[in-house]
Structure formats: structure tokens, C-alpha cells
Amino acid sequence: MKLLIKGGRLLDPANGIDDQLDLLIEEGIVVAVGVGLNEDDAHILDVSNRLVVPGLIDIHVHLREPGYEYKEDVLSGTRAAVAGGFTSVACMPNTDPVNDNKTVTSYILQKAAEAGLANVFPVGAISKGLKGESLSEMGELGEAGCVAMSDDGRPVRDGEIMRRALEYASTFGLPVISHAEDLSLVSGGVMNDSFVATELGLKGIPWVAEDAMVARDVMLAEFTGARLHIAHVSTRGAVEIIRAAQKRGVMVTAEVTPHHFTLTDEAVRGYDTNAKMNPPLRSADDLAAIREGLADGTIGVIATDHAPHHRDEKNVEFNIALNGIVGLETALPLTLRLVDEGVLTLAEAIDRLSSGPARALGLHRGQLTAGHVADITVIDLDARWTLNAAQLQSKSKNTPFDGWSFKGAVSHTLVAGKLVFDRLEGRESIV
Amino acid sequence: MSFGHKHILGMDQLSADDITRILDTADSFKEISAREIKKVPTLRGKTIINIFFEASTRTRASFEIAEKRLSADTLNISASTSALVKGETLEDTARNLEAMHPDIIVMRHGHSGAPHYLAERCNFSVINAGDGAHEHPTQALLDLMTIRDKKGTIGGLTVAIVGDIAHSRVARSNIIALNTMGARVRLAGPRTLLPTGADRLGAEVFTDIKGALDGADVVMMLRIQQERQGSPLLPSNREYSRFFGLNPDNLQRAKEDAIVMHPGPMNRGVEIASSVADGPRNVILDQVENGVAVRMALLYLISGGEKMAE
Ligand SMILES: [Zn+2]
Ligand SMILES: [Zn+2]
């Protein structure tokens, strides 16, 4: 079966392409890219006035399966993914049981195949049981399909374990993703350590808790020569440490979440538990530094840290609410706001959501020249819509962006040439 | 003129006019407490529930006396003894409370923002009797009443607040209220007990008690929690008392007629020397007495009271 995607503007940042170009797809692979393509026996997807980009890739999501299916499962999570324009997601191993062995990895991949929506790339645990004590069997995890190693949700406290994790993972060509925080400096904090925390009477998490751990891990990456990816950067200091390391040639990449480049700790006022995350929302100065880092490429990846939680886990006192928000269905519109504000060009924005993440984890995706998998996101840049959290595809509705108005929406999502989301049949919240 | 506040959640919501009105009302209620029959029918038929998730003898007793003197029907629920709140979510507690149709809930909670949670979701009025390290508005109001009693005014006075500012809801509420009333506020404590951005609170910050006391009209000492000692925040009570305790020596730096306040209970020999605690400048018992009057005034005002009963 052939599919011709016709009439759109193709933006493929990795190849410097931004033009009126059609795409011919056969057997899930892009076979031709050109002006005014025609193919008699192909189905035609008319994407006039639409932007066609490499399928978006989110390398930091929590799909919660196995173990926490009441928050999310692979099916609902990948539904949310494709509704948000993501054709691929990398899911973190803090499930129950933990994804620290090939059985769990295979289980997740089987669920993803059954769902048949987005590609799911599991991330394996650095340490057995996420305990930070002994390394998981990374070679076998890699064989089973894990694309990176992380203890996300908690830092690897012990420096020796982190050093050996970097060395051992690099043996198998796997990058290590660091959730960087010094827990002794977090010391029970629940939001950014700032004047807002003082006014609200909440215990703060100082920026140095993040910077200190980013510095250690970047130095360990330099020392071992291994590939390191820093998850959810939230501080100015972390951006500067990473930038300086990249200049020295250290193999370190970094991601930022849409909430960290959109909101500051002011959002916590009123004790809104949907403004409670780890790392916490930071100051306006940190936000400015993160945006600079995104623009100059120090931060090459936008990732959501999609963290579904049940209503009952958020509808409590701020101190005891769980950390995190859902992000898959708001990442693209929040990123497009950066384009509107002149922080990023459209090509940079799409790069940070597709080719950038593919590079960070070494995935052979994120571009649309002939021979590549036809993972494609079609965007209507002019669509105006208002988010109604109740209508999210995710099982959980924990978002601080409920009621926000956006410009720009996903119109079609295709995975390996197969249409998996069509906005016209999708969310009713899009008007 | 109606009071215009349904809830009392924090001093950040009250204007100087609101505060003056509360204090004036409290002055007239204070007279009731001096009568032989200390009861007026003002809140007859109103139901007030005092729900305390943290132990507090002083504040709860003060509210209870205030409620009884106004003839309200009162019920006490404490988290340590009641099945109603044991292991229950705040949402379920809120629903249960609402089902009892109270007019006012007085709430003490260990987590900042818990009274705000109730106020947003329920129909009754909420009075914050202390939430986490956030606010304790009725304590600030009784402190203001005591200062006004003793000094005739609040605006223009210099008030030194000394101690664990970082963890103190009493300090938070007082700093806000004193600023609203035009007093000059000074804070003093070791840097480990000063909150982030202390200099932005509308106060002059000292890491030395002497400077804070120089020429002060009011000295407000905060309680040092026992668990601070030996934590990363504080090496010992002994050292604390040497550098930040109030004693007859350093008190001489304050104005001759300066008053000494403490929200209680005091740690004698730690934040305050016994001789100062028992000395003539101490107004701690006035604070307790004013506490009842201020709480009567608040209950009356948020119940929609416009003119004084009797
Ligand atoms: Zn993390
Ligand atoms: Zn995460």
C-alpha cells in the first residue's frame, strides 16, 4: 500500500529542508520526497495549509505499566502520545516491578505492539530495583530493546555506582540518563527554595541540589568518556555547567520540560498541587536561562516527563501531593508558544521535539528523507483551541494548563505510514 | 457596614481598616470577660467546630472560651483521638464536616495551605488557627491588640522579632500585620533560621540580637522547637541562648519602656531568661487574655455581626 502526503509544507530540520514538498510512503518507509509528486495507485492524504514534520519523539515519559495502571497504561499513554503528535516515546523504568530485567522490558514492548499506536522505547534501570546499589543487567536489557539506562525518579547517590554505570552502559552503546538531585540538599523540600516558598510557608528545594549533582555527573561523563543525558534541567547553573562541558567535548546532552520553560514557582501560589513537580518550578531567572539554553542548542531536547497521577494523589495538602504532571498532549502547543514569543525558530522548535531527541538517544528517527521510517506529524499552525483537561486522552488529568488557550494543534499523526491520530475524529476540545 | 470577609486565612488578606475594626471590636468584647456573667447570646444557634490536626492547648482553649462566651454550640475534634480524621484524606474530612452543617470551622493543621483547601471547597467559614509554617493570623491579631493596649498605637513603633523566623507561622503573620499597620519590623536569628528572601519580607534583617534590640519598642521572642537542637540548623540550645537569647543585659538596649512578648509556651533559659520572663516588661499574660477577646471579635464579625450585642 502506498500513501502520498500531498500539498503540505515539509519541515525537516535535520536535513535543512523547509519547502512545499510531497512525501511518498511505501511499506511504512519514505520512498520519495519531491515537488508535486503523483502516484496513481497511492492513497492521498491532503495536507494543504499544514506543516509536515518528522514524528515527534518524547524521550521522557512514565507510562506506569506494569504496576500503576490506575494512573496510566501503555495503551492510554500511547493514545495520549499520538494525540499530542508524538510517534515515539521512551518510558522510564520506575514501574512495579521495576524495568530492571528483560522480562519487564518485553512485557512493555508487547503491550505497545498490542496498542499499535506510538513506538515505545523502554528505558532500563541503572540499578537493580532502582536502589542505587548494584547495576542491572544492562547488556541483556539492551538486547531486549532498552535504549538507555536511568534510575529516573531518584538520583544515583553513590558516585562509584554512577561512574561504573556510565562505563558499563557505554560498553553496550547505551546512554545513561541522570535524574540529577542531591537528596541531602533537597532535605524534604516541596517547591523551589525562594521567596515564594517563604511566603507560602513551604519548605524549599535549593537550586544547588540540582547543580551539585549535574556537576558531579558531567564530570563523571568527562572522566569515563561515556554518553550522559541530563533529564529535566531546571536551573541556570545546570544549563551553564552543561554548556561548558559540551564546549570541552564532553558527550553530554540535556532536556527540558515544557512546564519548566513555561511556568515559574509563582504558579504554586494558592497551593496548586498541579504546580508541584520534581525538579520544582524555578525562578524567572532560571526560566530565562533555560530558554537561552534551548535556543543555543545546549539543551537539544524538549521532553515532557509525562507523569500521570490519580486525582486522589493530587487532591490533597500540597506537602503530601505527588510530584509531576501529564505532558504529552500539551508539549507541542507550549513549544509553539516559544516560536510565537521569538525564543525559537519553528525549525529549532521542531528539532528539539524530533531530531534532537533522536540524536540524544541514538534513535534512527527524527528525519524524513527517503529511506527513513515514515513517522510523521502533521500540524495545523493556525488552529486555535482551549484545553479541557477532562478531555485528555491520558487516564490522568493532572495538568496546570487546564483552560489555557493555544494556537497550533496536531492534525494527523502517522506511525510507519499508518494514520494513528486524526484531529477531526479526535478531541472535541479542539474547535 | 459588613465586615466583608467570610474566612480568616491569613494576615495578607486584611487591610489596616479591617485590623483596626477587629481590634476595636475586641476591645468591647474584653469588657464582657470582666463581668461576673461572662456570656452574651450573640452567636446563639451557630455551630462552630474546632478541628485540630496538631496538638495545641493554648489556641484551642482560647477559641473554645471565646465561642462559649458568645453562646455558640461548639464541638472539638482532635486528630489524635478522633476516628473522623485518623488516616482520612482532607477531602473526606471536608465532606464530613460539611455534612454537619457548621457555620464556622476553626482549623489547626501541620501542612501549609490546608485551611485554604477547606475554604475553597466548602460552604462554611474557615478560621486558620495555624497552618504549617505559613500563617497564624489570630496570634498576630492578639499581638497587635496587646501592643496597641500597651503603646496606644502600632504605626511608627520598632518591633524586633527574634528566633526561628524560617519555621514560624507566628513570625510570618506578625511581619505582614505589623507592616500593614505601619510599624518598623526587625528580624534576628542565625542564618540557618532565617527564611529565603527574609530581606524582602518588609523587615530589616539582623544576624545579631543586639542590633535588632537597639531602641526597640517591642521585643517579640519566638519559641525554639526542641527538635532544632542538634539538627543541621542549630548546634545546641546553650549556644543559641548565648547569642540569641533575651536576657536582662541585652534587653537594656531596647527602649526603657519596651515590652517583651512571647507566643508561648516559653523555653526558659533558651530563648528567654527566667528573670526577663518574670520581669515587669513581660506582657505574656496580657497576650493570653487578649487572645480570647480577639477571637470573640473575629467570630462575631465573620458571622455577619454589625452592631455590638447588648
Ligand atoms: Zn526525574
Ligand atoms: Zn521522570
Side-chain angles (χ1 to χ4, degrees):
Chain A
M1 191 196 115
K2 291 180 186 173
L3 175 68
L4 184 58
I5 299 183
K6 224 178 149 44
R9 168 184 168 195
L10 177 66
L11 177 58
D12 178 359
N15 296 299
I17 295 167
D18 184 358
D19 227 327
Q20 293 294 130
L21 291 166
D22 300 341
L23 288 162
L24 182 64
I25 295 155
E26 207 175 330
E27 302 293 328
I29 306 289
V30 177
V31 292
V33 179
V35 181
L37 291 183
N38 279 304
E39 189 80 8
D40 289 343
D41 54 345
H43 285 276
I44 295 196
L45 181 64
D46 179 4
V47 291
S48 306
N49 304 314
R50 298 283 190 271
L51 184 71
V52 177
V53 304
L56 309 185
I57 301 171
D58 186 349
I59 61 170
H60 191 145
V61 305
H62 297 268
L63 294 181
R64 304 300 190 202
E65 191 177 6
Y68 304 100
E69 291 85 352
Y70 68 95
K71 300 178 193 240
E72 192 84 287
D73 56 26
V74 172
L75 177 61
S76 65
T78 51
R79 255 192 208 131
V82 297
F86 288 98
T87 54
S88 296
V89 295
C91 60
M92 288 299 172
N94 60 341
T95 46
D96 183 17
V98 169
N99 185 13
D100 61 1
N101 63 79
K102 65 178 181 183
T103 309
V104 176
T105 306
S106 304
Y107 177 83
I108 294 166
L109 288 172
Q110 184 202 323
K111 289 286 169 185
E114 285 167 16
L117 295 165
N119 307 298
V120 173
F121 295 105
V123 175
I126 289 172
S127 65
K128 291 195 184 98
L130 303 173
K131 290 200 174 82
E133 289 161 6
S134 56
L135 298 184
S136 61
E137 293 169 337
M138 298 182 184
E140 234 175 57
L141 283 163
E143 264 180 3
C146 286
V147 295
M149 312 307 298
S150 181
D151 272 2
D152 184 51
R154 54 183 83 174
V156 177
R157 219 180 49 194
D158 189 290
E160 160 79 351
I161 300 280
M162 192 60 172
R163 170 193 170 179
R164 299 306 179 188
L166 284 159
E167 289 174 346
Y168 193 70
S170 69
T171 310
F172 303 99
L174 295 164
V176 169
I177 302 174
S178 164
H179 167 115
E181 61 174 337
D182 179 332
L183 286 178
S184 68
L185 286 167
V186 170
S187 182
V190 295
M191 69 169 290
N192 187 35
D193 188 342
S194 67
F195 185 62
V196 182
T198 294
E199 288 197 311
L200 293 175
L202 294 172
K203 189 161 183 349
I205 302 171
W207 52 258
V208 67
E210 178 166 333
D211 294 17
M213 203 56 131
V214 169
R216 184 200 75 173
D217 286 352
V218 161
M219 286 177 184
L220 285 173
E222 187 163 20
F223 176 75
T224 58
R227 268 164 66 207
L228 173 71
H229 178 76
I230 306 287
H232 43 55
V233 167
S234 77
T235 64
R236 171 176 288 279
V239 176
E240 287 171 359
I241 290 163
I242 294 162
R243 183 182 286 127
Q246 287 171 341
K247 284 205 179 113
R248 293 198 301 277
V250 181
M251 286 197 286
V252 56
T253 52
E255 75 192 26
V256 64
T257 70
H259 44 277
H260 285 110
F261 67 61
T262 304
L263 301 172
T264 67
D265 55 6
E266 291 288 335
V268 178
R269 288 190 193 281
Y271 302 95
D272 181 1
T273 56
N274 280 329
K276 185 175 178 186
M277 359 261 184
N278 188 19
L281 297 172
R282 301 281 188 186
S283 70
D285 180 60
D286 292 307
L287 185 135
I290 281 166
R291 289 174 165 210
E292 285 160 25
L294 259 180
D296 73 11
T298 303
I299 301 172
V301 178
I302 292 170
T304 64
D305 199 0
H306 179 80
H309 287 301
H310 191 271
R311 175 188 177 280
D312 291 349
E313 295 164 330
K314 281 292 196 183
N315 189 19
V316 292
E317 299 90 318
F318 192 89
N319 276 338
I320 59 174
L322 295 185
N323 286 311
I325 59 168
V326 293
L328 282 165
E329 295 168 76
T330 45
L332 176 67
L334 288 167
T335 304
L336 291 175
R337 279 165 50 104
L338 293 183
V339 177
D340 267 355
E341 291 176 39
V343 176
L344 297 178
T345 65
L346 187 58
E348 285 165 347
I350 296 304
D351 169 69
R352 306 299 183 263
L353 285 167
S354 58
S355 29
R359 269 194 305 275
L361 294 196
L363 308 174
H364 298 292
R365 293 176 192 261
Q367 36 187 321
L368 285 177
T369 45
H372 280 96
V373 179
D375 287 355
I376 297 169
T377 303
V378 182
I379 301 167
D380 179 352
L381 286 174
D382 300 318
R384 289 181 184 275
W385 59 287
T386 300
L387 179 72
N388 176 356
Q391 290 177 350
L392 290 171
Q393 295 293 320
S394 175
K395 275 190 195 176
S396 296
K397 317 296 176 192
N398 50 312
T399 173
F401 303 112
D402 192 18
W404 281 42
S405 290
F406 295 111
K407 187 170 156 238
V410 177
S411 98
H412 301 84
T413 307
L414 296 96
V415 172
K418 182 182 143 205
L419 187 65
V420 289
F421 177 77
D422 181 343
R423 180 187 147 208
L424 293 178
E425 306 167 358
R427 293 171 296 182
E428 292 157 20
S429 58
I430 299 175
V431 289
Chain B
M1 188 183 73
S2 112
F3 183 53
H5 293 277
K6 182 177 177 188
H7 310 290
I8 303 294
L9 299 175
M11 294 309 296
D12 55 346
Q13 295 165 349
L14 298 177
S15 67
D17 284 347
D18 291 332
I19 292 171
T20 302
R21 175 128 178 243
I22 295 165
L23 299 188
D24 290 348
T25 310
D27 278 342
S28 41
F29 275 122
K30 198 170 173 181
E31 173 265 329
I32 293 171
S33 300
R35 293 184 198 168
E36 192 165 347
I37 294 175
K38 302 178 175 57
K39 203 158 177 158
V40 290
T42 317
L43 296 188
R44 184 176 291 156
K46 300 268 186 195
T47 303
I48 302 177
I49 299 177
N50 303 309
I51 183 161
F52 279 63
F53 290 81
E54 275 184 350
S56 153
T57 316
R58 199 167 289 248
T59 303
R60 204 182 82 176
S62 179
F63 267 107
E64 212 178 326
I65 293 168
E67 291 153 7
K68 294 208 157 119
R69 287 192 183 155
L70 293 171
S71 306
D73 297 318
T74 68
L75 172 70
N76 292 315
I77 300 174
S78 76
S80 47
T81 56
S82 166
L84 175 69
V85 290
K86 216 171 207 170
E88 187 178 72
T89 65
L90 192 53
E91 182 181 24
D92 286 334
T93 301
R95 285 186 185 151
N96 276 293
L97 289 173
E98 197 139 55
M100 298 176 201
H101 301 288
D103 297 285
I104 300 172
I105 296 290
V106 174
M107 185 198 217
R108 158 76 54 98
H109 202 289
H111 292 315
S112 301
H116 307 67
Y117 179 102
L118 278 199
E120 271 168 33
R121 288 164 178 80
C122 300
N123 289 322
F124 45 72
S125 289
V126 178
I127 297 182
N128 180 2
D131 66 320
H134 181 223
E135 282 230 39
H136 191 354
T138 59
Q139 176 72 41
L141 287 164
L142 73 87
D143 288 340
L144 293 181
M145 182 172 177
T146 308
I147 294 171
R148 199 175 77 162
D149 268 7
K150 299 292 171 189
K151 297 284 166 197
T153 176
I154 299 167
L157 297 179
T158 298
V159 182
I161 305 178
V162 182
D164 187 357
I165 316 288
H167 303 89
S168 173
R169 53 191 171 215
V170 175
R172 286 268 189 313
S173 287
N174 264 304
I175 294 165
I176 297 166
L178 288 164
N179 270 292
T180 304
M181 299 309 286
R184 278 189 298 274
V185 184
R186 294 172 178 174
L187 305 177
R191 279 196 57 196
T192 48
L193 299 182
L194 291 170
T196 302
D199 53 326
R200 290 172 58 192
L201 282 167
E204 206 181 338
V205 181
F206 295 78
T207 48
D208 161 24
I209 188 175
K210 294 181 194 134
L213 293 180
D214 272 333
D217 298 287
V218 177
V219 183
M220 209 177 267
M221 299 306 293
L222 299 175
R223 177 179 164 78
I224 288 293
Q225 300 291 331
Q226 274 313 308
E227 64 264 25
R228 300 279 172 256
Q229 183 172 216
S231 81
L233 302 175
L234 207 61
S236 68
N237 285 347
R238 182 182 156 276
E239 171 143 314
Y240 181 82
S241 112
R242 253 202 73 193
F243 289 93
F244 292 97
L246 188 65
N247 56 47
D249 251 7
N250 56 26
L251 183 55
Q252 282 181 16
R253 293 171 169 270
K255 287 212 180 113
E256 219 167 317
D257 61 350
I259 55 171
V260 174
M261 307 177 78
H262 193 294
M266 290 183 284
N267 293 306
R268 288 168 179 262
V270 182
E271 69 264 8
I272 188 163
S274 267
S275 55
V276 176
D278 298 330
R281 303 183 185 198
N282 181 319
V283 297
I284 295 164
L285 295 179
D286 301 84
Q287 288 173 271
V288 176
E289 189 185 353
N290 291 337
V292 175
V294 148
R295 289 171 177 125
M296 287 173 81
L298 276 181
L299 292 165
Y300 168 75
L301 288 169
I302 67 167
S303 300
E306 309 215 345
K307 61 178 176 44
M308 190 55 58
E310 295 180 50

